[in-house]
Amino acid sequence: MKTTVFGFFKVKDGRILDSVFVDMPPYERTTTGLWIDVSKEALELMKMLGLSLAAAIHSAQHAVLNRFALAADLRTECKPDEKERMKRPTSRTRPARLVFYEQASTGGSIAARAFDHVNDLLRQAEERVRTCDCYDGCPECEQAVHC
């Protein structure tokens, strides 16, 4: 896994005061993970509904993790809400996909288990979000308390 830090936000009282860009080499480490590509049809539907693609994909990642019993050992990239919902274009584009990786090198067993059950996890996540009594997301369906 390669992580590249392009900058950070200076935050006070939950408000972004400044964004600082940095130039530093990528941090690389070996881990195991999986990704699920988001279909072109799903992307078009989200655009038609006026959803933020990045925020919707991020919510979907948490919805899947919330259905996985071993989720404590899997991670997904969590960004500040302001960055997730940014409207300005970026040169750092990547395919639309749900990405999961193991926090520490555990030999790939946790990511492999998630991969083995990915269809069930996706169905359970969709059902939970669809049937949840909340209005705009909660820790029971598509939010994570640590994010």
Side-chain angles (χ1 to χ4, degrees):
M1 171 190 269
K2 184 192 297 188
T3 302
T4 304
V5 177
F6 294 97
F8 60 92
F9 293 118
K10 292 182 180 179
V11 179
K12 182 176 182 180
D13 298 325
R15 289 188 16 238
I16 295 178
L17 303 175
D18 192 13
S19 62
V20 179
F21 293 95
V22 296
D23 183 21
M24 55 190 298
Y27 167 71
E28 295 188 35
R29 65 186 167 114
T30 301
T31 188
T32 304
L34 68 138
W35 74 79
I36 304 164
D37 288 325
V38 179
S39 71
K40 187 176 182 179
E41 295 81 11
L43 291 172
E44 289 172 2
L45 177 62
M46 287 187 279
K47 286 178 187 176
M48 185 180 76
L49 294 172
L51 299 175
S52 163
L53 299 182
I57 290 169
H58 187 73
S59 293
Q61 291 173 136
H62 282 300
V64 171
L65 284 176
N66 286 348
R67 305 282 53 102
F68 186 51
L70 301 172
D73 294 319
L74 282 183
R75 295 289 181 263
T76 190
E77 183 181 44
C78 295
K79 301 175 193 168
D81 192 49
E82 294 82 3
K83 186 173 180 184
E84 210 56 78
R85 299 177 191 282
M86 283 183 3
K87 298 289 185 200
R88 68 182 163 99
T90 177
S91 61
R92 298 184 307 269
T93 59
R94 57 182 152 178
R97 47 177 63 143
L98 284 66
V99 178
F100 308 97
Y101 60 92
E102 293 187 26
Q103 183 175 11
S105 182
T106 58
S109 61
I110 305 302
R113 286 184 186 177
F115 181 78
D116 288 343
H117 299 281
V118 72
N119 289 331
D120 293 333
L121 292 170
L122 288 169
R123 272 194 289 283
Q124 291 169 14
E126 184 275 333
E127 181 180 348
R128 181 62 182 137
V129 170
R130 184 174 36 81
T131 61
C132 191
D133 292 330
C134 73
Y135 175 72
D136 60 356
C138 70
E140 292 296 317
C141 63
E142 57 85 27
Q143 290 180 0
V145 292
H146 65 274
C147 180

